[in-house]
Amino acid sequence: MAVDAKIVAQVAHLARVEIDDASVAGFATEMTNVLDLAGQMDEVDTSQVEPMAHPLHAVQRLRPDVVTESDQREAFQSQAPAVDGGYYLVPQVIE
Amino acid sequence: MQWETVIGLEIHAQLATRSKIFSASSTQFGAEVNSQANAVDLGMPGVLPVLNIEAVHMAIKFALATNAEIGKRSVFARKNYFYPDLPKGYQISQMALPIVGQGTVEVTLDDGVVKTVGLTRAHLEEDAGKSVHDLFHGQTGVDLNRAGTPLLEIVSEPDMRSAREAVAYARKIHSIVRYIDICDGNMQEGSFRCDANVSVRPVGTETLGTRAEIKNVNSFRFLERAINFEVERQIDVLESGGTVVQETRLYDADNDETRSMRSKEEANDYRYFPDPDLLPVVVEDSLIEELSQSMPELPEARCGRFVSEFQLSEYDAGVLTADRATADYFESVLATSGASAKLVSSWIGGELFSRLNKDGLELPESPVTADRFSGLMSRIHDNTISGKIAKQILDHMWGSDADVDAIIDREGLRQISDSSEIEKMIDDVIEANPSQLAEYRQGKEKLLAYFVGQVMKASRGKANPGQLNEMLREKLKG
């Protein structure tokens, strides 16, 4: 599959990554190469293989429904760029 | 042109676990801001989610209650989007292999018709945090206490054809999740949220119209109004030659309208993929068997039993079993009071509910517990008090902790069933009303009610009404 400039721009937007126009062509080539590499697997006959969501043949372990965490807000918020009144502050988000 | 409305609902039911779905933080509502957000909830690097067993059990119970397929092997996936109240940059949800597959619920509509609504699926996911936009100048505050709270997203087929049907379905789901005790159903606190996918199409056509999704509806009443507004809006757009845009719309209760929120054109760009941090969840048959043993009696079964066991009407049984708290209250009162099912049913549906409605209370918050209410029913049943006096006593009970007998004694409300005492009052009234007596004896029999009223008044409402009627008729004959 060939990735064009439009797809690069769209993926960049979804990932909220800023890329300058000069690097678009390079990204398009690299992404195409990655997809082509993965595409080689399409040639393998997988009709007899169960689809898997995880490479390990293991199942999820579950934990009991018990509260064991205590309030560590102060420790967490000491690393945050901006806090006020217990809230984490971010640039205004307007719907 | 005649239009047909098509509605599907997505209901997010907050599961009533003590801890979060992937972390051991508390899910308690109303805690101090960010005091229940730990490293996992904050999306700190290096942390791993560990699934809460109770959330899995609750999802399976829901499947059992809705005759739904159980995903014996379900998979969590990452739904990727950016928003400040979602610190990881993705929500852990389920996509291709949900824990609950297709099911059905029976919904009784206003006219008594029972409609079967299809469930597409129900899946487990984590809730996001809360953004506060109006507290800080030029900035948004984020509270992550809610982040990671377990949700069961229940998706219906587009089977509803009117706002009323959609509300009846939503109420039914609400009733089910409360019966099986997996969600507290509190809509004000956001524990039970309904999003409605609404579209219209010309009557007789099969193709679905373009839909709009309505969010932010926190009561059944608003759900009905929001859908009705949206249907009118879409018909107006189409009839004036426009096209409906697929988008998310917010319901604004103050202005009773829906408003465009954000375009969902990127809706297919969540780039779901299996979450590598979580292994597939396998549900063994033995677990399903164990959980189905623990299932409580569900609304339909209980309603049917109330009809057959207590000879209640379908309607009364339906009212009493619509939620579990009411049905439990009824059965508790019935078992302890000795009063008839019909009496208890009419008192709960009438006097008790009207007082709760007036004070804006739910049954579990009733100032009169089942125990005390049972005492009141006993005293009506054994003729200590009349129904009329019982209403006064219920008012007294509403405002105090006193039990029925204490109030009866304190207020001197014991019913007068002593026939000599009633006879004396009847004699006095007859003597004081010679002209009415004469008229009655000439055939004006509706004056009986006048005499009953006078004697009741003399007894301050306490005369046993049955006895009074009977004795009065005798006396009036002369």
Side-chain angles (χ1 to χ4, degrees):
Chain A
M1 176 188 173
V3 173
D4 59 18
K6 201 176 142 201
I7 295 176
V8 172
Q10 192 197 350
V11 171
H13 169 68
L14 286 170
R16 301 295 186 272
V17 173
E18 203 176 342
I19 52 173
D20 56 52
D21 291 347
S23 25
V24 169
F27 277 118
T29 308
E30 282 178 31
M31 286 165 70
T32 303
N33 290 344
V34 171
L35 289 175
D36 286 348
L37 182 69
Q40 289 176 17
M41 282 188 280
D42 288 344
E43 288 162 27
V44 182
D45 177 12
T46 56
S47 57
Q48 303 301 314
V49 179
E50 281 260 312
M52 60 164 73
H54 204 281
L56 301 178
H57 284 287
V59 299
Q60 181 62 37
R61 288 189 53 179
L62 306 172
R63 50 164 254 275
D65 180 27
V66 179
V67 177
T68 56
E69 290 286 336
S70 54
D71 176 11
Q72 298 183 69
R73 186 175 82 184
E74 223 169 297
F76 290 127
Q77 296 206 331
S78 67
Q79 307 168 51
V83 293
D84 191 352
Y87 288 91
Y88 293 93
L89 295 187
V90 298
Q92 185 136 46
V93 187
I94 299 166
E95 262 305 338
Chain B
M1 190 184 292
Q2 288 287 93
W3 298 93
E4 180 179 50
T5 304
V6 178
I7 304 158
L9 293 188
E10 288 169 20
I11 294 174
H12 287 86
Q14 201 176 88
L15 297 176
T17 56
R18 284 185 284 271
S19 65
K20 293 187 177 177
I21 184 167
F22 298 119
S23 90
S25 295
S26 170
T27 54
Q28 187 88 46
F29 181 83
E32 173 67 19
V33 177
N34 283 313
S35 64
Q36 296 177 170
N38 73 359
V40 174
D41 312 322
L42 294 176
M44 289 297 203
V47 299
L48 282 174
V50 189
L51 184 56
N52 184 336
I53 191 169
E54 206 45 44
V56 173
H57 288 184
M58 287 177 173
I60 295 170
K61 283 185 187 172
F62 181 77
L64 291 169
T66 53
N67 306 307
E69 291 166 26
I70 294 167
K72 301 257 176 88
R73 189 171 169 280
S74 69
V75 169
F76 283 96
R78 293 184 179 181
K79 178 180 180 179
N80 300 280
Y81 66 93
F82 286 107
Y83 205 74
D85 56 25
L86 186 77
K88 297 191 298 298
Y90 58 86
Q91 176 191 29
I92 304 177
S93 181
Q94 296 191 304
M95 185 60 184
L97 296 168
I99 189 155
V100 181
Q102 287 194 334
T104 53
V105 288
E106 308 261 290
V107 178
T108 307
L109 305 176
D110 296 340
D111 52 8
V113 172
V114 175
K115 178 176 175 125
T116 302
V117 175
L119 293 180
T120 313
R121 58 185 281 152
H123 60 258
L124 286 167
E125 62 183 27
E126 57 178 345
D127 207 346
K130 264 184 191 159
S131 300
V132 180
H133 302 290
D134 51 6
L135 216 53
F136 306 98
H137 181 70
Q139 287 182 299
T140 293
V142 181
D143 175 8
L144 295 168
N145 280 349
R146 202 180 63 184
T149 299
L151 300 176
L152 187 67
E153 178 172 339
I154 303 157
V155 183
S156 84
E157 291 291 306
D159 284 349
M160 278 72 75
R161 293 291 172 268
S162 69
R164 299 298 288 269
E165 286 187 19
V167 169
Y169 162 79
R171 282 185 185 280
K172 187 57 187 274
I173 296 291
H174 189 253
S175 163
I176 291 172
V177 297
R178 300 223 299 181
Y179 256 85
I180 60 177
D181 211 14
I182 65 168
C183 171
D184 69 18
N186 189 324
M187 298 180 82
Q188 294 305 315
E189 292 178 2
S191 306
F192 189 88
R193 314 197 280 268
C194 302
D195 299 340
N197 286 309
V198 179
S199 64
V200 297
R201 63 184 173 194
V203 167
T205 57
E206 285 296 316
T207 322
L208 291 171
T210 305
R211 67 170 193 265
E213 182 178 6
I214 309 171
K215 283 189 182 288
N216 200 31
V217 186
N218 65 2
S219 77
F220 292 124
R221 192 162 54 97
F222 289 159
L223 177 63
E224 182 167 346
R225 282 163 59 174
I227 293 172
N228 282 332
F229 173 87
E230 182 58 21
V231 168
E232 289 301 314
R233 187 191 71 85
Q234 290 186 13
I235 291 174
D236 283 351
V237 167
L238 293 169
E239 290 191 340
S240 59
T243 48
V244 173
V245 181
Q246 181 170 340
E247 61 182 353
T248 303
R249 299 180 68 85
L250 272 187
Y251 179 63
D252 173 353
D254 295 334
N255 298 306
D256 190 21
E257 62 179 21
T258 65
R259 281 201 307 265
S260 183
M261 185 180 163
R262 64 182 169 210
S263 167
K264 278 201 111 185
E265 283 157 33
E266 289 179 13
N268 295 324
D269 275 336
Y270 286 128
R271 294 149 293 143
Y272 282 95
F273 63 89
D275 191 326
D277 288 345
L278 289 154
L279 291 158
V281 179
V282 171
V283 177
E284 305 284 354
D285 288 339
S286 56
L287 175 64
I288 297 173
E289 181 56 30
E290 188 187 314
L291 290 172
S292 57
Q293 297 298 327
S294 75
M295 289 288 281
E297 191 181 21
L298 291 170
E300 279 101 22
R302 205 165 188 182
C303 181
R305 182 166 63 80
F306 279 19
V307 171
S308 60
E309 193 175 324
F310 306 133
Q311 283 81 51
L312 291 174
S313 69
E314 283 279 348
Y315 178 82
D316 289 344
V319 169
L320 290 172
T321 55
D323 72 56
R324 189 177 173 181
T326 307
D328 287 349
Y329 193 99
F330 168 78
E331 288 210 79
S332 160
V333 172
L334 191 61
T336 53
S337 66
S340 72
K342 205 166 164 24
L343 179 79
V344 176
S345 158
S346 73
W347 271 78
I348 291 177
E351 296 300 322
L352 182 65
F353 277 7
S354 72
R355 282 172 177 75
L356 290 172
N357 284 342
K358 195 166 135 259
D359 292 356
L361 296 173
E362 296 288 329
L363 185 58
E365 307 157 323
S366 170
V368 177
T369 58
D371 259 6
R372 294 172 73 214
F373 198 77
S374 172
L376 183 67
M377 294 299 100
S378 298
R379 292 298 161 261
I380 301 176
H381 176 67
D382 67 16
N383 281 322
T384 306
I385 51 173
S386 66
K388 197 171 166 198
I389 295 288
K391 289 177 196 175
Q392 286 178 39
I393 295 176
L394 187 55
D395 286 334
H396 282 288
M397 294 171 83
W398 211 253
S400 77
D401 289 335
D403 74 11
V404 179
D405 293 330
I407 294 170
I408 292 174
D409 288 341
R410 191 181 73 205
E411 306 289 322
L413 293 172
R414 195 169 296 276
Q415 179 159 273
I416 301 167
S417 301
D418 176 344
S419 46
S420 64
E421 210 174 321
I422 297 177
E423 186 172 12
K424 166 108 191 13
M425 289 189 281
I426 292 175
D427 289 344
D428 289 349
V429 166
I430 290 179
E431 199 185 314
N433 295 281
S435 58
Q436 282 86 346
L437 180 66
E439 283 179 57
Y440 179 86
R441 287 184 173 160
Q442 281 155 25
K444 205 171 170 190
E445 287 195 4
K446 50 181 187 182
L447 274 172
L448 177 66
Y450 169 77
F451 282 103
V452 170
Q454 291 300 305
V455 180
M456 262 304 173
K457 201 170 148 193
S459 76
R460 294 198 298 129
K462 293 185 291 183
N464 180 323
Q467 242 176 321
L468 163 60
N469 258 295
E470 200 179 316
M471 290 173 70
L472 191 58
R473 276 177 200 279
E474 280 304 310
K475 287 270 177 189
L476 288 173
K477 273 192 213 157

